[in-house]
Amino acid sequence: MSEKKRFDTIIIGAGPGGLAAAYKLAQKQRVLVIEKGLWGGTCPNCGCDPKKMLYGVVETKRQAQLFAQTGLEGSLAIDWSALMAFKKSYTDSIPAGTEQGLAHAGIAHLHGTAHFLDLNTIEVDHTSYQARNIVIATGAQPFIPEIPGKEYLQTSTDFLSLEHLPAEIAFIGAGYVAVELANIAAQAGAKVHLIQHNKRILRGFPAEYGEKIIAALTAKKVTFHWNCEVAKVTKEQHHLSIKGTHGEQIVVDNVFAATGRPAALDDLQLAHVGIESDQRGVKVNDHLQTTKANVYAIGDAVSKSLPKLTPVSGFEGNYVAETILGATAPINYPVIAHTVFAGPELSQVGVSLAWAQKHPADYSINTQAVGSWYTYQRLRDNDAQVTTIVTKKANHLVGAVVYAANAEELINYLTALITQQLPATALANWMPVYPSAASDLKYLYS
Ligand SMILES: Cc1cc2nc3c(=O)[nH]c(=O)nc-3n(C[C@H](O)[C@H](O)[C@H](O)COP(=O)(O)OP(=O)(O)OC[C@H]3O[C@@H](n4cnc5c(N)ncnc54)[C@H](O)[C@@H]3O)c2cc1C
Ligand SMILES: NC(=O)c1ccc[n+]([C@@H]2O[C@H](COP(=O)([O-])OP(=O)(O)OC[C@H]3O[C@@H](n4cnc5c(N)ncnc54)[C@H](O)[C@@H]3O)[C@@H](O)[C@H]2O)c1
């Protein structure tokens, strides 16, 4: 094999995880990155970033509407085509920009679908590439359930590129993707249905806060179909008809499947080289090594109970690079904040409310309806609510839930306090801008 095809490390997948690993490793190693789709992966092309560009506009409309009769006059409407053009003004340049970044950093990169030939050899388009270490960073992929009429179903990727907003749409599922995209569609003027096979929304968040999201979406005319299992989808002239197993019928223009995103492992031929995986992804140990020691897996491709999010993939990419370069410590995750952008936002970090409720001897829970506080009264964010969880022993903040406009900012401050294990007294020597969400911290954690 020519020197050109030999590397220290091959990374399969150029999303946030693979790229974090690649840039760190390339400071000391010859690295090859292989990508079969869009350079940059899910987050900037068809995930977090385009989603939040659409969210930013529809959420501004929602917040502006709250100021009707308080000095703001006139009505606002969403121009879907202009909104999409705005999104594309960002996403169109991502793949080429990412590839240029790799080229400028001198990182070898190749477009194509990778699979294992053996534990040190990857094949792309009938050409072999060898490396001592291989990192699987292939992410997760959209999923279409096996039901009659599955050919009519679309995914979040299709939604984020819709040229025209349909009049009436349905999402199957009530997790992150369904809730966030339903909110965008409803705020933009579509009639939206959410079809969930049980009675639970956003299972990673406290049920009592999920109820608030349900109420907010219902007020935006989103219809929930609980305990509804989709039996089939048929095409009827210009519409799609969804039939539920209990005889339900919902007629819409488009149906989007949002029942979870499985790890993207199909192409890799992992079984061929004895790398084990389960329903959630590639099995790894606490050094992110797969069942074969020289092959690592990171990000959404991994089997784990942690949330599968961009910062988690980046953290793991960085960790794996350091491990390949010689570090020996097991991975030690900081607390992971997460937010569903549903207008308002629901954010959570650290010890969960359910866990704290089950262990009353260990934790004090303080849930405060903050809608009447100046910060939220000013924004007319009447329903805002914050829960803090502190240890009874040391009085240290260990968990929080925030439901509010811009909850993402307050949760970040709370996350910093938890990560640094700062006592409430630390806030006495901190002087944030007043009035701001940060200036409320001393009333939330004292
Ligand atoms: C609609 C949506 C909204 C989201 N919003 C958020 C958010 O607000 N905040 C957040 O933190 N997270 C969000 N996420 C999740 C986030 O996008 C992922 O957690 C993140 O992109 C995972 O990074 P990754 O590097 O592990 O995988 P990915 O970004 O999925 O990258 C993996 C790459 O590997 C490539 N690949 C796969 N198989 C092969 C192969 N055999 N050969 C070569 N290349 C291959 C793929 O084409 C892909 O580009 C969202 C996801 C979606 C779908
Ligand atoms: N804001 C964010 O950070 C963000 C946003 C979007 C996506 N993501 C990431 O992407 C992942 C995938 O999101 P998702 O919403 O596709 O998955 P999810 O796991 O969050 O939700 C899937 C939903 O589908 C339901 N479901 C499963 N099977 C069903 C069926 N047969 N009929 C009806 N409902 C069914 C589940 O009960 C659940 O409510 C998330 O877990 C998260 O890691 C994060």
Side-chain angles (χ1 to χ4, degrees), residues 100-134:
Q100 272 166 21
L102 289 167
H104 284 153
I107 301 174
H109 53 284
L110 179 67
H111 198 262
T113 302
H115 67 265
F116 282 84
L117 284 186
D118 62 44
L119 288 171
N120 296 101
T121 314
I122 296 295
E123 189 178 67
V124 181
D125 293 334
H126 308 292
T127 304
S128 306
Y129 301 86
Q130 285 198 327
R132 276 199 312 269
N133 294 113
I134 294 170

PDB file of all heavy atoms in Angstrom, residues 100-134:
ATOM      1  N   GLN A 100     -13.075  23.173   3.276  1.00  0.00           N
ATOM      2  CA  GLN A 100     -11.944  24.111   3.172  1.00  0.00           C
ATOM      3  C   GLN A 100     -11.163  24.166   4.480  1.00  0.00           C
ATOM      4  O   GLN A 100      -9.940  24.228   4.499  1.00  0.00           O
ATOM      5  CB  GLN A 100     -12.454  25.522   2.867  1.00  0.00           C
ATOM      6  CG  GLN A 100     -12.619  25.794   1.388  1.00  0.00           C
ATOM      7  CD  GLN A 100     -13.441  27.060   1.160  1.00  0.00           C
ATOM      8  OE1 GLN A 100     -13.552  27.907   2.036  1.00  0.00           O
ATOM      9  NE2 GLN A 100     -14.038  27.158  -0.017  1.00  0.00           N
ATOM     10  N   GLY A 101     -11.905  24.138   5.590  1.00  0.00           N
ATOM     11  CA  GLY A 101     -11.248  24.166   6.902  1.00  0.00           C
ATOM     12  C   GLY A 101     -10.312  22.976   7.061  1.00  0.00           C
ATOM     13  O   GLY A 101      -9.184  23.120   7.539  1.00  0.00           O
ATOM     14  N   LEU A 102     -10.778  21.804   6.637  1.00  0.00           N
ATOM     15  CA  LEU A 102      -9.929  20.604   6.724  1.00  0.00           C
ATOM     16  C   LEU A 102      -8.701  20.762   5.835  1.00  0.00           C
ATOM     17  O   LEU A 102      -7.583  20.450   6.230  1.00  0.00           O
ATOM     18  CB  LEU A 102     -10.734  19.365   6.316  1.00  0.00           C
ATOM     19  CG  LEU A 102     -11.813  18.903   7.312  1.00  0.00           C
ATOM     20  CD1 LEU A 102     -12.753  17.887   6.666  1.00  0.00           C
ATOM     21  CD2 LEU A 102     -11.183  18.313   8.577  1.00  0.00           C
ATOM     22  N   ALA A 103      -8.931  21.283   4.623  1.00  0.00           N
ATOM     23  CA  ALA A 103      -7.814  21.455   3.682  1.00  0.00           C
ATOM     24  C   ALA A 103      -6.787  22.426   4.261  1.00  0.00           C
ATOM     25  O   ALA A 103      -5.580  22.158   4.242  1.00  0.00           O
ATOM     26  CB  ALA A 103      -8.345  21.944   2.343  1.00  0.00           C
ATOM     27  N   HIS A 104      -7.269  23.556   4.819  1.00  0.00           N
ATOM     28  CA  HIS A 104      -6.346  24.555   5.379  1.00  0.00           C
ATOM     29  C   HIS A 104      -5.549  23.987   6.538  1.00  0.00           C
ATOM     30  O   HIS A 104      -4.404  24.350   6.764  1.00  0.00           O
ATOM     31  CB  HIS A 104      -7.111  25.802   5.845  1.00  0.00           C
ATOM     32  CG  HIS A 104      -7.529  26.654   4.690  1.00  0.00           C
ATOM     33  ND1 HIS A 104      -8.634  27.481   4.720  1.00  0.00           N
ATOM     34  CD2 HIS A 104      -7.011  26.790   3.446  1.00  0.00           C
ATOM     35  CE1 HIS A 104      -8.769  28.082   3.556  1.00  0.00           C
ATOM     36  NE2 HIS A 104      -7.795  27.678   2.758  1.00  0.00           N
ATOM     37  N   ALA A 105      -6.166  23.075   7.287  1.00  0.00           N
ATOM     38  CA  ALA A 105      -5.467  22.473   8.434  1.00  0.00           C
ATOM     39  C   ALA A 105      -4.577  21.311   7.996  1.00  0.00           C
ATOM     40  O   ALA A 105      -3.933  20.673   8.830  1.00  0.00           O
ATOM     41  CB  ALA A 105      -6.493  21.996   9.472  1.00  0.00           C
ATOM     42  N   GLY A 106      -4.575  21.026   6.694  1.00  0.00           N
ATOM     43  CA  GLY A 106      -3.732  19.947   6.172  1.00  0.00           C
ATOM     44  C   GLY A 106      -4.241  18.569   6.552  1.00  0.00           C
ATOM     45  O   GLY A 106      -3.456  17.620   6.642  1.00  0.00           O
ATOM     46  N   ILE A 107      -5.557  18.443   6.777  1.00  0.00           N
ATOM     47  CA  ILE A 107      -6.120  17.148   7.166  1.00  0.00           C
ATOM     48  C   ILE A 107      -6.633  16.443   5.905  1.00  0.00           C
ATOM     49  O   ILE A 107      -7.481  16.997   5.176  1.00  0.00           O
ATOM     50  CB  ILE A 107      -7.264  17.327   8.194  1.00  0.00           C
ATOM     51  CG1 ILE A 107      -6.737  18.039   9.452  1.00  0.00           C
ATOM     52  CG2 ILE A 107      -7.904  15.976   8.541  1.00  0.00           C
ATOM     53  CD1 ILE A 107      -7.802  18.403  10.463  1.00  0.00           C
ATOM     54  N   ALA A 108      -6.126  15.225   5.650  1.00  0.00           N
ATOM     55  CA  ALA A 108      -6.576  14.474   4.469  1.00  0.00           C
ATOM     56  C   ALA A 108      -8.062  14.154   4.638  1.00  0.00           C
ATOM     57  O   ALA A 108      -8.513  13.818   5.740  1.00  0.00           O
ATOM     58  CB  ALA A 108      -5.770  13.188   4.341  1.00  0.00           C
ATOM     59  N   HIS A 109      -8.832  14.277   3.564  1.00  0.00           N
ATOM     60  CA  HIS A 109     -10.277  14.011   3.670  1.00  0.00           C
ATOM     61  C   HIS A 109     -10.786  13.485   2.337  1.00  0.00           C
ATOM     62  O   HIS A 109     -10.248  13.817   1.276  1.00  0.00           O
ATOM     63  CB  HIS A 109     -11.034  15.252   4.114  1.00  0.00           C
ATOM     64  CG  HIS A 109     -10.768  16.451   3.279  1.00  0.00           C
ATOM     65  ND1 HIS A 109      -9.603  17.180   3.377  1.00  0.00           N
ATOM     66  CD2 HIS A 109     -11.505  17.043   2.313  1.00  0.00           C
ATOM     67  CE1 HIS A 109      -9.631  18.164   2.509  1.00  0.00           C
ATOM     68  NE2 HIS A 109     -10.779  18.107   1.848  1.00  0.00           N
ATOM     69  N   LEU A 110     -11.840  12.693   2.457  1.00  0.00           N
ATOM     70  CA  LEU A 110     -12.281  11.910   1.305  1.00  0.00           C
ATOM     71  C   LEU A 110     -13.794  11.803   1.336  1.00  0.00           C
ATOM     72  O   LEU A 110     -14.378  11.542   2.397  1.00  0.00           O
ATOM     73  CB  LEU A 110     -11.660  10.521   1.496  1.00  0.00           C
ATOM     74  CG  LEU A 110     -11.905   9.423   0.507  1.00  0.00           C
ATOM     75  CD1 LEU A 110     -11.232   9.790  -0.808  1.00  0.00           C
ATOM     76  CD2 LEU A 110     -11.282   8.137   1.067  1.00  0.00           C
ATOM     77  N   HIS A 111     -14.431  12.007   0.194  1.00  0.00           N
ATOM     78  CA  HIS A 111     -15.890  11.862   0.148  1.00  0.00           C
ATOM     79  C   HIS A 111     -16.251  10.459  -0.300  1.00  0.00           C
ATOM     80  O   HIS A 111     -15.779   9.995  -1.340  1.00  0.00           O
ATOM     81  CB  HIS A 111     -16.509  12.892  -0.797  1.00  0.00           C
ATOM     82  CG  HIS A 111     -17.964  13.054  -0.555  1.00  0.00           C
ATOM     83  ND1 HIS A 111     -18.912  12.414  -1.313  1.00  0.00           N
ATOM     84  CD2 HIS A 111     -18.636  13.725   0.409  1.00  0.00           C
ATOM     85  CE1 HIS A 111     -20.109  12.709  -0.829  1.00  0.00           C
ATOM     86  NE2 HIS A 111     -19.976  13.494   0.205  1.00  0.00           N
ATOM     87  N   GLY A 112     -17.057   9.761   0.486  1.00  0.00           N
ATOM     88  CA  GLY A 112     -17.457   8.407   0.109  1.00  0.00           C
ATOM     89  C   GLY A 112     -17.955   7.644   1.329  1.00  0.00           C
ATOM     90  O   GLY A 112     -17.842   8.118   2.461  1.00  0.00           O
ATOM     91  N   THR A 113     -18.503   6.450   1.073  1.00  0.00           N
ATOM     92  CA  THR A 113     -19.061   5.635   2.157  1.00  0.00           C
ATOM     93  C   THR A 113     -18.024   4.624   2.610  1.00  0.00           C
ATOM     94  O   THR A 113     -17.532   3.827   1.799  1.00  0.00           O
ATOM     95  CB  THR A 113     -20.334   4.917   1.662  1.00  0.00           C
ATOM     96  OG1 THR A 113     -21.255   5.923   1.229  1.00  0.00           O
ATOM     97  CG2 THR A 113     -20.971   4.083   2.763  1.00  0.00           C
ATOM     98  N   ALA A 114     -17.712   4.670   3.912  1.00  0.00           N
ATOM     99  CA  ALA A 114     -16.644   3.820   4.450  1.00  0.00           C
ATOM    100  C   ALA A 114     -17.201   2.526   5.023  1.00  0.00           C
ATOM    101  O   ALA A 114     -18.303   2.513   5.585  1.00  0.00           O
ATOM    102  CB  ALA A 114     -15.914   4.581   5.557  1.00  0.00           C
ATOM    103  N   HIS A 115     -16.436   1.434   4.878  1.00  0.00           N
ATOM    104  CA  HIS A 115     -16.735   0.217   5.631  1.00  0.00           C
ATOM    105  C   HIS A 115     -15.444  -0.487   6.004  1.00  0.00           C
ATOM    106  O   HIS A 115     -14.388  -0.261   5.395  1.00  0.00           O
ATOM    107  CB  HIS A 115     -17.704  -0.710   4.879  1.00  0.00           C
ATOM    108  CG  HIS A 115     -17.139  -1.302   3.636  1.00  0.00           C
ATOM    109  ND1 HIS A 115     -17.323  -0.748   2.399  1.00  0.00           N
ATOM    110  CD2 HIS A 115     -16.365  -2.403   3.430  1.00  0.00           C
ATOM    111  CE1 HIS A 115     -16.705  -1.475   1.484  1.00  0.00           C
ATOM    112  NE2 HIS A 115     -16.105  -2.487   2.091  1.00  0.00           N
ATOM    113  N   PHE A 116     -15.551  -1.343   7.030  1.00  0.00           N
ATOM    114  CA  PHE A 116     -14.372  -2.048   7.520  1.00  0.00           C
ATOM    115  C   PHE A 116     -14.046  -3.241   6.632  1.00  0.00           C
ATOM    116  O   PHE A 116     -14.943  -4.026   6.293  1.00  0.00           O
ATOM    117  CB  PHE A 116     -14.629  -2.578   8.943  1.00  0.00           C
ATOM    118  CG  PHE A 116     -14.509  -1.529  10.011  1.00  0.00           C
ATOM    119  CD1 PHE A 116     -15.582  -0.691  10.308  1.00  0.00           C
ATOM    120  CD2 PHE A 116     -13.328  -1.378  10.723  1.00  0.00           C
ATOM    121  CE1 PHE A 116     -15.474   0.272  11.297  1.00  0.00           C
ATOM    122  CE2 PHE A 116     -13.207  -0.416  11.717  1.00  0.00           C
ATOM    123  CZ  PHE A 116     -14.290   0.412  12.005  1.00  0.00           C
ATOM    124  N   LEU A 117     -12.760  -3.384   6.292  1.00  0.00           N
ATOM    125  CA  LEU A 117     -12.290  -4.636   5.681  1.00  0.00           C
ATOM    126  C   LEU A 117     -11.672  -5.515   6.763  1.00  0.00           C
ATOM    127  O   LEU A 117     -11.894  -6.709   6.830  1.00  0.00           O
ATOM    128  CB  LEU A 117     -11.253  -4.363   4.595  1.00  0.00           C
ATOM    129  CG  LEU A 117     -11.772  -3.829   3.263  1.00  0.00           C
ATOM    130  CD1 LEU A 117     -10.621  -3.758   2.257  1.00  0.00           C
ATOM    131  CD2 LEU A 117     -12.899  -4.694   2.696  1.00  0.00           C
ATOM    132  N   ASP A 118     -10.844  -4.865   7.618  1.00  0.00           N
ATOM    133  CA  ASP A 118     -10.363  -5.518   8.835  1.00  0.00           C
ATOM    134  C   ASP A 118     -10.174  -4.416   9.873  1.00  0.00           C
ATOM    135  O   ASP A 118     -10.530  -3.264   9.618  1.00  0.00           O
ATOM    136  CB  ASP A 118      -9.091  -6.355   8.582  1.00  0.00           C
ATOM    137  CG  ASP A 118      -7.920  -5.518   8.107  1.00  0.00           C
ATOM    138  OD1 ASP A 118      -7.696  -4.429   8.691  1.00  0.00           O
ATOM    139  OD2 ASP A 118      -7.225  -5.929   7.157  1.00  0.00           O
ATOM    140  N   LEU A 119      -9.592  -4.745  11.033  1.00  0.00           N
ATOM    141  CA  LEU A 119      -9.568  -3.774  12.122  1.00  0.00           C
ATOM    142  C   LEU A 119      -8.624  -2.603  11.872  1.00  0.00           C
ATOM    143  O   LEU A 119      -8.637  -1.632  12.624  1.00  0.00           O
ATOM    144  CB  LEU A 119      -9.221  -4.471  13.448  1.00  0.00           C
ATOM    145  CG  LEU A 119     -10.366  -5.341  13.982  1.00  0.00           C
ATOM    146  CD1 LEU A 119      -9.901  -6.181  15.162  1.00  0.00           C
ATOM    147  CD2 LEU A 119     -11.561  -4.475  14.369  1.00  0.00           C
ATOM    148  N   ASN A 120      -7.807  -2.693  10.832  1.00  0.00           N
ATOM    149  CA  ASN A 120      -6.929  -1.575  10.489  1.00  0.00           C
ATOM    150  C   ASN A 120      -7.169  -1.061   9.076  1.00  0.00           C
ATOM    151  O   ASN A 120      -6.435  -0.194   8.608  1.00  0.00           O
ATOM    152  CB  ASN A 120      -5.444  -2.007  10.608  1.00  0.00           C
ATOM    153  CG  ASN A 120      -5.095  -2.361  12.028  1.00  0.00           C
ATOM    154  OD1 ASN A 120      -5.033  -3.534  12.385  1.00  0.00           O
ATOM    155  ND2 ASN A 120      -4.896  -1.352  12.861  1.00  0.00           N
ATOM    156  N   THR A 121      -8.171  -1.603   8.399  1.00  0.00           N
ATOM    157  CA  THR A 121      -8.358  -1.235   6.991  1.00  0.00           C
ATOM    158  C   THR A 121      -9.808  -0.837   6.711  1.00  0.00           C
ATOM    159  O   THR A 121     -10.743  -1.571   7.023  1.00  0.00           O
ATOM    160  CB  THR A 121      -7.976  -2.414   6.057  1.00  0.00           C
ATOM    161  OG1 THR A 121      -6.731  -2.946   6.492  1.00  0.00           O
ATOM    162  CG2 THR A 121      -7.869  -1.978   4.616  1.00  0.00           C
ATOM    163  N   ILE A 122      -9.936   0.332   6.096  1.00  0.00           N
ATOM    164  CA  ILE A 122     -11.245   0.866   5.708  1.00  0.00           C
ATOM    165  C   ILE A 122     -11.277   0.960   4.190  1.00  0.00           C
ATOM    166  O   ILE A 122     -10.298   1.406   3.569  1.00  0.00           O
ATOM    167  CB  ILE A 122     -11.441   2.281   6.320  1.00  0.00           C
ATOM    168  CG1 ILE A 122     -11.478   2.210   7.852  1.00  0.00           C
ATOM    169  CG2 ILE A 122     -12.685   2.959   5.772  1.00  0.00           C
ATOM    170  CD1 ILE A 122     -12.645   1.447   8.426  1.00  0.00           C
ATOM    171  N   GLU A 123     -12.394   0.562   3.617  1.00  0.00           N
ATOM    172  CA  GLU A 123     -12.519   0.659   2.155  1.00  0.00           C
ATOM    173  C   GLU A 123     -13.544   1.726   1.781  1.00  0.00           C
ATOM    174  O   GLU A 123     -14.607   1.818   2.390  1.00  0.00           O
ATOM    175  CB  GLU A 123     -12.940  -0.695   1.574  1.00  0.00           C
ATOM    176  CG  GLU A 123     -12.879  -0.696   0.048  1.00  0.00           C
ATOM    177  CD  GLU A 123     -13.254  -2.055  -0.537  1.00  0.00           C
ATOM    178  OE1 GLU A 123     -14.435  -2.449  -0.400  1.00  0.00           O
ATOM    179  OE2 GLU A 123     -12.382  -2.702  -1.126  1.00  0.00           O
ATOM    180  N   VAL A 124     -13.172   2.517   0.785  1.00  0.00           N
ATOM    181  CA  VAL A 124     -14.090   3.515   0.207  1.00  0.00           C
ATOM    182  C   VAL A 124     -13.958   3.405  -1.308  1.00  0.00           C
ATOM    183  O   VAL A 124     -12.851   3.544  -1.850  1.00  0.00           O
ATOM    184  CB  VAL A 124     -13.725   4.955   0.644  1.00  0.00           C
ATOM    185  CG1 VAL A 124     -14.706   5.963   0.037  1.00  0.00           C
ATOM    186  CG2 VAL A 124     -13.697   5.093   2.157  1.00  0.00           C
ATOM    187  N   ASP A 125     -15.063   3.151  -1.994  1.00  0.00           N
ATOM    188  CA  ASP A 125     -15.044   3.065  -3.463  1.00  0.00           C
ATOM    189  C   ASP A 125     -13.923   2.146  -3.972  1.00  0.00           C
ATOM    190  O   ASP A 125     -13.123   2.546  -4.843  1.00  0.00           O
ATOM    191  CB  ASP A 125     -14.878   4.461  -4.088  1.00  0.00           C
ATOM    192  CG  ASP A 125     -16.094   5.318  -3.833  1.00  0.00           C
ATOM    193  OD1 ASP A 125     -17.191   4.751  -3.648  1.00  0.00           O
ATOM    194  OD2 ASP A 125     -15.943   6.551  -3.784  1.00  0.00           O
ATOM    195  N   HIS A 126     -13.837   0.951  -3.408  1.00  0.00           N
ATOM    196  CA  HIS A 126     -12.881  -0.087  -3.836  1.00  0.00           C
ATOM    197  C   HIS A 126     -11.417   0.268  -3.581  1.00  0.00           C
ATOM    198  O   HIS A 126     -10.521  -0.376  -4.121  1.00  0.00           O
ATOM    199  CB  HIS A 126     -13.077  -0.461  -5.314  1.00  0.00           C
ATOM    200  CG  HIS A 126     -14.492  -0.803  -5.641  1.00  0.00           C
ATOM    201  ND1 HIS A 126     -15.095  -1.931  -5.157  1.00  0.00           N
ATOM    202  CD2 HIS A 126     -15.433  -0.133  -6.342  1.00  0.00           C
ATOM    203  CE1 HIS A 126     -16.352  -1.948  -5.567  1.00  0.00           C
ATOM    204  NE2 HIS A 126     -16.583  -0.872  -6.287  1.00  0.00           N
ATOM    205  N   THR A 127     -11.173   1.323  -2.804  1.00  0.00           N
ATOM    206  CA  THR A 127      -9.789   1.644  -2.440  1.00  0.00           C
ATOM    207  C   THR A 127      -9.650   1.461  -0.926  1.00  0.00           C
ATOM    208  O   THR A 127     -10.549   1.842  -0.171  1.00  0.00           O
ATOM    209  CB  THR A 127      -9.442   3.101  -2.822  1.00  0.00           C
ATOM    210  OG1 THR A 127      -9.702   3.262  -4.216  1.00  0.00           O
ATOM    211  CG2 THR A 127      -7.985   3.429  -2.530  1.00  0.00           C
ATOM    212  N   SER A 128      -8.502   0.874  -0.511  1.00  0.00           N
ATOM    213  CA  SER A 128      -8.283   0.604   0.912  1.00  0.00           C
ATOM    214  C   SER A 128      -7.414   1.680   1.542  1.00  0.00           C
ATOM    215  O   SER A 128      -6.492   2.195   0.906  1.00  0.00           O
ATOM    216  CB  SER A 128      -7.561  -0.737   1.091  1.00  0.00           C
ATOM    217  OG  SER A 128      -8.268  -1.733   0.436  1.00  0.00           O
ATOM    218  N   TYR A 129      -7.702   1.964   2.809  1.00  0.00           N
ATOM    219  CA  TYR A 129      -6.925   2.930   3.594  1.00  0.00           C
ATOM    220  C   TYR A 129      -6.627   2.279   4.938  1.00  0.00           C
ATOM    221  O   TYR A 129      -7.528   1.676   5.544  1.00  0.00           O
ATOM    222  CB  TYR A 129      -7.732   4.229   3.800  1.00  0.00           C
ATOM    223  CG  TYR A 129      -8.109   4.870   2.492  1.00  0.00           C
ATOM    224  CD1 TYR A 129      -9.282   4.473   1.819  1.00  0.00           C
ATOM    225  CD2 TYR A 129      -7.289   5.825   1.901  1.00  0.00           C
ATOM    226  CE1 TYR A 129      -9.618   5.025   0.605  1.00  0.00           C
ATOM    227  CE2 TYR A 129      -7.632   6.390   0.676  1.00  0.00           C
ATOM    228  CZ  TYR A 129      -8.792   5.987   0.029  1.00  0.00           C
ATOM    229  OH  TYR A 129      -9.112   6.536  -1.169  1.00  0.00           O
ATOM    230  N   GLN A 130      -5.385   2.433   5.403  1.00  0.00           N
ATOM    231  CA  GLN A 130      -4.998   1.752   6.639  1.00  0.00           C
ATOM    232  C   GLN A 130      -4.631   2.739   7.739  1.00  0.00           C
ATOM    233  O   GLN A 130      -4.145   3.838   7.462  1.00  0.00           O
ATOM    234  CB  GLN A 130      -3.802   0.843   6.373  1.00  0.00           C
ATOM    235  CG  GLN A 130      -4.209  -0.407   5.621  1.00  0.00           C
ATOM    236  CD  GLN A 130      -3.169  -1.493   5.716  1.00  0.00           C
ATOM    237  OE1 GLN A 130      -1.980  -1.206   5.779  1.00  0.00           O
ATOM    238  NE2 GLN A 130      -3.619  -2.740   5.725  1.00  0.00           N
ATOM    239  N   ALA A 131      -4.894   2.329   8.984  1.00  0.00           N
ATOM    240  CA  ALA A 131      -4.514   3.164  10.130  1.00  0.00           C
ATOM    241  C   ALA A 131      -4.378   2.294  11.363  1.00  0.00           C
ATOM    242  O   ALA A 131      -4.993   1.229  11.451  1.00  0.00           O
ATOM    243  CB  ALA A 131      -5.567   4.236  10.374  1.00  0.00           C
ATOM    244  N   ARG A 132      -3.579   2.798  12.345  1.00  0.00           N
ATOM    245  CA  ARG A 132      -3.461   2.074  13.622  1.00  0.00           C
ATOM    246  C   ARG A 132      -4.769   2.148  14.386  1.00  0.00           C
ATOM    247  O   ARG A 132      -5.223   1.199  14.988  1.00  0.00           O
ATOM    248  CB  ARG A 132      -2.360   2.729  14.472  1.00  0.00           C
ATOM    249  CG  ARG A 132      -0.956   2.275  14.168  1.00  0.00           C
ATOM    250  CD  ARG A 132      -0.047   2.609  15.350  1.00  0.00           C
ATOM    251  NE  ARG A 132      -0.212   3.982  15.823  1.00  0.00           N
ATOM    252  CZ  ARG A 132       0.508   5.022  15.388  1.00  0.00           C
ATOM    253  NH1 ARG A 132       1.445   4.834  14.507  1.00  0.00           N
ATOM    254  NH2 ARG A 132       0.313   6.231  15.852  1.00  0.00           N
ATOM    255  N   ASN A 133      -5.381   3.364  14.380  1.00  0.00           N
ATOM    256  CA  ASN A 133      -6.638   3.580  15.109  1.00  0.00           C
ATOM    257  C   ASN A 133      -7.732   4.051  14.164  1.00  0.00           C
ATOM    258  O   ASN A 133      -7.458   4.774  13.200  1.00  0.00           O
ATOM    259  CB  ASN A 133      -6.439   4.645  16.199  1.00  0.00           C
ATOM    260  CG  ASN A 133      -5.493   4.168  17.285  1.00  0.00           C
ATOM    261  OD1 ASN A 133      -4.396   4.686  17.441  1.00  0.00           O
ATOM    262  ND2 ASN A 133      -5.884   3.136  17.997  1.00  0.00           N
ATOM    263  N   ILE A 134      -8.959   3.649  14.505  1.00  0.00           N
ATOM    264  CA  ILE A 134     -10.107   4.093  13.698  1.00  0.00           C
ATOM    265  C   ILE A 134     -11.169   4.639  14.659  1.00  0.00           C
ATOM    266  O   ILE A 134     -11.391   4.068  15.737  1.00  0.00           O
ATOM    267  CB  ILE A 134     -10.650   2.929  12.849  1.00  0.00           C
ATOM    268  CG1 ILE A 134      -9.574   2.548  11.808  1.00  0.00           C
ATOM    269  CG2 ILE A 134     -11.962   3.322  12.136  1.00  0.00           C
ATOM    270  CD1 ILE A 134      -9.820   1.300  11.035  1.00  0.00           C
TER     271      ILE A 134
END
